[in-house]
Amino acid sequence: QVQLVESGGGLVQAGGSLRLSCAASGRTFSTGGMGWFRQAPGKERDFVAAITWSGGTPYVTDSVKGRFTISRDNAKNTVYLQMDSLNREDTAVYYCAATTSRGVIVSGIYRRDPDRYDSWGQGTQVTVSS
């Protein structure tokens, strides 16, 4: 099992930036990849971005492409989500997730499915004000 702890959320004005971090501990050697999801009040948990643990191949959903960047630092067992040009529609709780399967991350269908991930963080709130 991998334990995940997110940080970096907060309140930001529209147009601003935040960088979320997700620190992994435990059986990190078994990690195939990690992802970020977000959930706004009354809505489902939606895929935002994912990255393979080895190789660091990134994927982001279309709605944030060009604004959000996912990266990882294997030495620190940490994944980052750099969020720029934030708007009110980005307001949500952001969750970090890990999967033991690299195949989940490289699949355009599976990486978007929360049920394909094995471990989750507690979430961090991002609020964008106008």
Side-chain angles (χ1 to χ4, degrees):
Q1 191 77 0
V2 175
Q3 291 77 47
L4 304 173
V5 178
E6 302 101 333
S7 61
L11 175 65
V12 63
Q13 288 190 330
S17 299
L18 283 174
R19 188 177 80 156
L20 305 184
S21 299
C22 175
S25 61
R27 298 174 60 89
T28 57
F29 60 86
S30 67
T31 301
M34 295 179 71
W36 287 96
F37 288 76
R38 65 186 180 184
Q39 189 167 20
K43 296 189 176 181
E44 294 184 348
R45 191 168 296 191
D46 291 332
F47 170 77
V48 177
I51 191 166
T52 56
W53 198 244
S54 63
T57 304
Y59 304 90
V60 295
T61 195
D62 287 346
S63 64
V64 305
K65 197 166 291 183
R67 300 190 299 121
F68 290 12
T69 304
I70 187 171
S71 61
R72 95 272 186 259
D73 184 333
N74 286 14
K76 295 182 178 180
N77 290 328
T78 300
V79 171
Y80 304 98
L81 185 67
Q82 177 67 41
M83 306 186 295
D84 299 318
S85 301
L86 286 160
N87 58 58
R88 292 190 65 182
E89 288 67 39
D90 297 316
T91 294
V93 177
Y94 283 70
Y95 296 91
C96 172
T99 173
T100 57
S101 170
R102 183 178 182 277
V104 167
I105 301 299
V106 301
S107 164
I109 295 176
Y110 290 165
R111 63 174 171 261
R112 308 180 72 86
D113 182 356
D115 291 338
R116 296 286 177 172
Y117 291 78
D118 309 296
S119 303
W120 289 84
Q122 81 287 354
T124 186
Q125 177 71 47
V126 171
T127 303
V128 184
S129 64
S130 58

